[in-house]
Amino acid sequence: MPKATETVLEIDLGALVHNYHYLRSKLKAETKFLGVIKAFAYGSDAVKVAQKLIALGVDYLAVAYVKEGIVLRDAGIKTPILVLHPQQANFDELIERCLEPSLYSPKVLKEFLETAKKHNQTNYPIHLKFNTGLNRLGFWENDVDFIKEQLGGRAEIKVKSVFSHLAASDDQTEAAFTKTQISSFERIVKEVDEKLGYTPFRHLLNTSGILNYPEAQYDMVRSGIGLYGFGNAPEIDSELKPVATLKTIISQIHNIEPNESVGYNRAFTSEGYKTTATLPLGHADGIGRQYGNGKACVSVNGQKAPIIGNVCMDMIMIDITGIDCKEGDEVIVFGKNPSAEEFAAGADTISYELLTGISQRVKRSFLGT
Ligand SMILES: *Cc1c(COP(=O)(O)O)cnc(C)c1O
């Protein structure tokens, strides 16, 4: 791997390939695979990741919003794209760009039907999202009659799939709850099939679902975090490879006397003689203030160095006392060691938030093709 000469998020496409094969190995050969590439492919690069996933043979891609899908279409991506959380304001563009909406409430279903009619569509593919306990987005089980009534005799749209989302697939202590979600999903899909008179395909599992409830894989699974190298469990993380490594360099080294302070509001004061390093990376790059004041550590020449004082917009300071390093040396913020999960845990958050928060100001570079 090349040494960093500035702040860079290195995206290892080889790691993506490895993680895809690992997840696939947990599934039946006939189960379709949807790659979740919302939020810039979890902070990496949606187009590059999409192209790689397509080369690997994924069946579907998913984004959260219509504008994310448009970027993929502009890049020439023809794979079906599920838009998980579209808004009515973007339905025209959604249809113009052949994106497939998740419809999740009576209101959006009606609005989408109107838009599809206005665009003279027949059999426009849509996906019905049901709430089975996450209580976030989704039709209720007893909306099936309403759906039937709306769709009966209408040719504008066609239900391509029915899906739901698990609330705690990563948490074994919630297994009983997850099982109730799985059974209500089974009831719902049966009722939908009966009432629509045809059988849309089914999907329920995210990454942790694939790992913990493979019996509920149905026709397709939807994986995000696993592709990027995290399985919400240490024994899975050790099987996966992190796609993103955030690297930076030491801009300047300071030798601090006892009782001197470092950074805004003098949040760090040194008890003894300390050596500190300033890095060109701050909260505007996605390393939020919650990581400051000793909460998270970076790695300098293989040694742990805590972030000290308050995180600034464009800089952080770290304690490098006793670490052999010099100005210009590479610093690993997260990657293999510390992992994004470990780094995030220091500030009581999760890899998902840390990864998706790395701002667009940070340069992306790619390993592998
Ligand atoms: C984000 C998302 C996923 C992916 O979840 P991971 O835990 O990252 O695998 C799957 N399904 C839905 C509905 C999502 O919003």
Side-chain angles (χ1 to χ4, degrees), residues 3-24:
K3 289 274 179 200
T5 52
E6 62 183 319
T7 301
V8 59
L9 188 72
E10 207 172 70
I11 313 297
D12 183 352
L13 296 170
L16 180 71
V17 174
H18 169 89
N19 299 335
Y20 174 76
H21 288 312
Y22 177 82
L23 293 162
R24 266 265 48 134

mmCIF file of all heavy atoms in Angstrom, residues 3-24:
data_model
loop_
_atom_site.group_PDB
_atom_site.id
_atom_site.type_symbol
_atom_site.label_atom_id
_atom_site.label_comp_id
_atom_site.label_asym_id
_atom_site.label_seq_id
_atom_site.Cartn_x
_atom_site.Cartn_y
_atom_site.Cartn_z
ATOM 1 N N LYS A 3 2.276 4.882 0.856
ATOM 2 C CA LYS A 3 2.205 5.737 2.052
ATOM 3 C C LYS A 3 1.436 7.007 1.714
ATOM 4 O O LYS A 3 1.593 7.571 0.635
ATOM 5 C CB LYS A 3 3.623 6.123 2.496
ATOM 6 C CG LYS A 3 4.399 4.957 3.090
ATOM 7 C CD LYS A 3 4.101 4.805 4.579
ATOM 8 C CE LYS A 3 4.869 3.612 5.156
ATOM 9 N NZ LYS A 3 4.298 3.127 6.417
ATOM 10 N N ALA A 4 0.638 7.450 2.674
ATOM 11 C CA ALA A 4 -0.146 8.668 2.448
ATOM 12 C C ALA A 4 0.755 9.898 2.456
ATOM 13 O O ALA A 4 1.747 9.948 3.188
ATOM 14 C CB ALA A 4 -1.198 8.802 3.542
ATOM 15 N N THR A 5 0.412 10.865 1.618
ATOM 16 C CA THR A 5 1.111 12.145 1.646
ATOM 17 C C THR A 5 0.129 13.272 1.968
ATOM 18 O O THR A 5 0.493 14.442 2.011
ATOM 19 C CB THR A 5 1.766 12.421 0.272
ATOM 20 O OG1 THR A 5 0.757 12.262 -0.735
ATOM 21 C CG2 THR A 5 2.902 11.455 -0.014
ATOM 22 N N GLU A 6 -1.116 12.904 2.183
ATOM 23 C CA GLU A 6 -2.176 13.836 2.586
ATOM 24 C C GLU A 6 -3.291 12.967 3.149
ATOM 25 O O GLU A 6 -3.184 11.742 3.129
ATOM 26 C CB GLU A 6 -2.673 14.641 1.368
ATOM 27 C CG GLU A 6 -3.275 13.731 0.307
ATOM 28 C CD GLU A 6 -3.727 14.458 -0.951
ATOM 29 O OE1 GLU A 6 -4.296 15.549 -0.829
ATOM 30 O OE2 GLU A 6 -3.506 13.906 -2.042
ATOM 31 N N THR A 7 -4.388 13.578 3.582
ATOM 32 C CA THR A 7 -5.497 12.784 4.103
ATOM 33 C C THR A 7 -6.194 12.087 2.945
ATOM 34 O O THR A 7 -6.549 12.729 1.957
ATOM 35 C CB THR A 7 -6.481 13.688 4.870
ATOM 36 O OG1 THR A 7 -5.770 14.301 5.932
ATOM 37 C CG2 THR A 7 -7.648 12.901 5.428
ATOM 38 N N VAL A 8 -6.365 10.805 3.068
ATOM 39 C CA VAL A 8 -6.956 10.044 1.973
ATOM 40 C C VAL A 8 -7.748 8.867 2.530
ATOM 41 O O VAL A 8 -7.348 8.244 3.519
ATOM 42 C CB VAL A 8 -5.848 9.579 0.972
ATOM 43 C CG1 VAL A 8 -4.812 8.718 1.658
ATOM 44 C CG2 VAL A 8 -6.431 8.853 -0.223
ATOM 45 N N LEU A 9 -8.893 8.604 1.919
ATOM 46 C CA LEU A 9 -9.650 7.405 2.264
ATOM 47 C C LEU A 9 -9.345 6.394 1.170
ATOM 48 O O LEU A 9 -9.722 6.578 0.008
ATOM 49 C CB LEU A 9 -11.154 7.700 2.323
ATOM 50 C CG LEU A 9 -11.997 6.542 2.866
ATOM 51 C CD1 LEU A 9 -11.798 6.374 4.380
ATOM 52 C CD2 LEU A 9 -13.482 6.768 2.578
ATOM 53 N N GLU A 10 -8.628 5.360 1.575
ATOM 54 C CA GLU A 10 -8.220 4.362 0.601
ATOM 55 C C GLU A 10 -9.304 3.288 0.531
ATOM 56 O O GLU A 10 -9.725 2.761 1.560
ATOM 57 C CB GLU A 10 -6.916 3.746 1.112
ATOM 58 C CG GLU A 10 -6.018 3.207 0.071
ATOM 59 C CD GLU A 10 -4.701 2.831 0.712
ATOM 60 O OE1 GLU A 10 -4.677 1.852 1.477
ATOM 61 O OE2 GLU A 10 -3.707 3.540 0.474
ATOM 62 N N ILE A 11 -9.754 3.000 -0.682
ATOM 63 C CA ILE A 11 -10.841 2.038 -0.883
ATOM 64 C C ILE A 11 -10.236 0.795 -1.529
ATOM 65 O O ILE A 11 -9.763 0.860 -2.671
ATOM 66 C CB ILE A 11 -11.913 2.607 -1.842
ATOM 67 C CG1 ILE A 11 -12.314 4.045 -1.480
ATOM 68 C CG2 ILE A 11 -13.124 1.687 -1.922
ATOM 69 C CD1 ILE A 11 -12.949 4.213 -0.172
ATOM 70 N N ASP A 12 -10.293 -0.312 -0.808
ATOM 71 C CA ASP A 12 -9.677 -1.546 -1.296
ATOM 72 C C ASP A 12 -10.746 -2.412 -1.971
ATOM 73 O O ASP A 12 -11.541 -3.083 -1.300
ATOM 74 C CB ASP A 12 -9.032 -2.273 -0.105
ATOM 75 C CG ASP A 12 -8.305 -3.543 -0.523
ATOM 76 O OD1 ASP A 12 -8.415 -3.948 -1.702
ATOM 77 O OD2 ASP A 12 -7.643 -4.139 0.347
ATOM 78 N N LEU A 13 -10.753 -2.371 -3.295
ATOM 79 C CA LEU A 13 -11.781 -3.118 -4.030
ATOM 80 C C LEU A 13 -11.564 -4.625 -3.915
ATOM 81 O O LEU A 13 -12.513 -5.404 -4.004
ATOM 82 C CB LEU A 13 -11.827 -2.657 -5.490
ATOM 83 C CG LEU A 13 -12.246 -1.186 -5.663
ATOM 84 C CD1 LEU A 13 -12.032 -0.720 -7.096
ATOM 85 C CD2 LEU A 13 -13.696 -0.948 -5.237
ATOM 86 N N GLY A 14 -10.325 -5.025 -3.661
ATOM 87 C CA GLY A 14 -10.047 -6.448 -3.413
ATOM 88 C C GLY A 14 -10.741 -6.927 -2.136
ATOM 89 O O GLY A 14 -11.236 -8.060 -2.068
ATOM 90 N N ALA A 15 -10.767 -6.060 -1.126
ATOM 91 C CA ALA A 15 -11.457 -6.408 0.120
ATOM 92 C C ALA A 15 -12.960 -6.556 -0.142
ATOM 93 O O ALA A 15 -13.619 -7.452 0.402
ATOM 94 C CB ALA A 15 -11.193 -5.333 1.176
ATOM 95 N N LEU A 16 -13.491 -5.695 -1.001
ATOM 96 C CA LEU A 16 -14.922 -5.786 -1.357
ATOM 97 C C LEU A 16 -15.218 -7.154 -1.997
ATOM 98 O O LEU A 16 -16.209 -7.808 -1.654
ATOM 99 C CB LEU A 16 -15.266 -4.650 -2.315
ATOM 100 C CG LEU A 16 -16.708 -4.560 -2.805
ATOM 101 C CD1 LEU A 16 -17.637 -4.113 -1.675
ATOM 102 C CD2 LEU A 16 -16.825 -3.577 -3.975
ATOM 103 N N VAL A 17 -14.345 -7.582 -2.881
ATOM 104 C CA VAL A 17 -14.512 -8.883 -3.542
ATOM 105 C C VAL A 17 -14.501 -10.006 -2.493
ATOM 106 O O VAL A 17 -15.367 -10.886 -2.486
ATOM 107 C CB VAL A 17 -13.399 -9.115 -4.592
ATOM 108 C CG1 VAL A 17 -13.470 -10.525 -5.171
ATOM 109 C CG2 VAL A 17 -13.476 -8.069 -5.702
ATOM 110 N N HIS A 18 -13.522 -9.932 -1.603
ATOM 111 C CA HIS A 18 -13.421 -10.941 -0.538
ATOM 112 C C HIS A 18 -14.717 -10.990 0.282
ATOM 113 O O HIS A 18 -15.271 -12.067 0.540
ATOM 114 C CB HIS A 18 -12.239 -10.608 0.372
ATOM 115 C CG HIS A 18 -12.208 -11.433 1.626
ATOM 116 N ND1 HIS A 18 -11.575 -12.650 1.697
ATOM 117 C CD2 HIS A 18 -12.779 -11.229 2.847
ATOM 118 C CE1 HIS A 18 -11.758 -13.163 2.904
ATOM 119 N NE2 HIS A 18 -12.475 -12.318 3.622
ATOM 120 N N ASN A 19 -15.207 -9.825 0.705
ATOM 121 C CA ASN A 19 -16.396 -9.774 1.568
ATOM 122 C C ASN A 19 -17.631 -10.283 0.834
ATOM 123 O O ASN A 19 -18.462 -10.990 1.408
ATOM 124 C CB ASN A 19 -16.625 -8.340 2.052
ATOM 125 C CG ASN A 19 -15.441 -7.829 2.874
ATOM 126 O OD1 ASN A 19 -14.699 -8.617 3.455
ATOM 127 N ND2 ASN A 19 -15.271 -6.520 2.903
ATOM 128 N N TYR A 20 -17.726 -9.932 -0.434
ATOM 129 C CA TYR A 20 -18.861 -10.418 -1.234
ATOM 130 C C TYR A 20 -18.849 -11.950 -1.274
ATOM 131 O O TYR A 20 -19.863 -12.596 -1.009
ATOM 132 C CB TYR A 20 -18.799 -9.836 -2.652
ATOM 133 C CG TYR A 20 -19.858 -10.428 -3.559
ATOM 134 C CD1 TYR A 20 -21.190 -10.022 -3.460
ATOM 135 C CD2 TYR A 20 -19.533 -11.413 -4.493
ATOM 136 C CE1 TYR A 20 -22.164 -10.586 -4.262
ATOM 137 C CE2 TYR A 20 -20.506 -11.978 -5.305
ATOM 138 C CZ TYR A 20 -21.820 -11.558 -5.189
ATOM 139 O OH TYR A 20 -22.787 -12.119 -5.974
ATOM 140 N N HIS A 21 -17.686 -12.533 -1.560
ATOM 141 C CA HIS A 21 -17.615 -13.997 -1.630
ATOM 142 C C HIS A 21 -17.928 -14.638 -0.274
ATOM 143 O O HIS A 21 -18.585 -15.669 -0.196
ATOM 144 C CB HIS A 21 -16.249 -14.456 -2.151
ATOM 145 C CG HIS A 21 -16.069 -14.178 -3.617
ATOM 146 N ND1 HIS A 21 -17.024 -14.505 -4.561
ATOM 147 C CD2 HIS A 21 -15.064 -13.589 -4.303
ATOM 148 C CE1 HIS A 21 -16.596 -14.128 -5.761
ATOM 149 N NE2 HIS A 21 -15.412 -13.564 -5.629
ATOM 150 N N TYR A 22 -17.475 -13.985 0.802
ATOM 151 C CA TYR A 22 -17.775 -14.520 2.139
ATOM 152 C C TYR A 22 -19.289 -14.537 2.380
ATOM 153 O O TYR A 22 -19.851 -15.550 2.805
ATOM 154 C CB TYR A 22 -17.066 -13.681 3.214
ATOM 155 C CG TYR A 22 -17.405 -14.156 4.608
ATOM 156 C CD1 TYR A 22 -16.745 -15.246 5.164
ATOM 157 C CD2 TYR A 22 -18.416 -13.543 5.348
ATOM 158 C CE1 TYR A 22 -17.083 -15.710 6.427
ATOM 159 C CE2 TYR A 22 -18.763 -14.000 6.608
ATOM 160 C CZ TYR A 22 -18.087 -15.087 7.144
ATOM 161 O OH TYR A 22 -18.433 -15.541 8.398
ATOM 162 N N LEU A 23 -19.938 -13.425 2.085
ATOM 163 C CA LEU A 23 -21.389 -13.348 2.322
ATOM 164 C C LEU A 23 -22.138 -14.335 1.424
ATOM 165 O O LEU A 23 -23.061 -15.024 1.858
ATOM 166 C CB LEU A 23 -21.892 -11.916 2.099
ATOM 167 C CG LEU A 23 -21.368 -10.901 3.125
ATOM 168 C CD1 LEU A 23 -21.532 -9.489 2.617
ATOM 169 C CD2 LEU A 23 -22.069 -11.083 4.472
ATOM 170 N N ARG A 24 -21.717 -14.395 0.169
ATOM 171 C CA ARG A 24 -22.332 -15.329 -0.786
ATOM 172 C C ARG A 24 -22.223 -16.762 -0.283
ATOM 173 O O ARG A 24 -23.130 -17.568 -0.478
ATOM 174 C CB ARG A 24 -21.628 -15.251 -2.149
ATOM 175 C CG ARG A 24 -22.224 -14.329 -3.143
ATOM 176 C CD ARG A 24 -23.197 -14.857 -4.171
ATOM 177 N NE ARG A 24 -24.264 -15.699 -3.725
ATOM 178 C CZ ARG A 24 -25.534 -15.575 -4.108
ATOM 179 N NH1 ARG A 24 -25.906 -14.596 -4.900
ATOM 180 N NH2 ARG A 24 -26.440 -16.419 -3.701
#
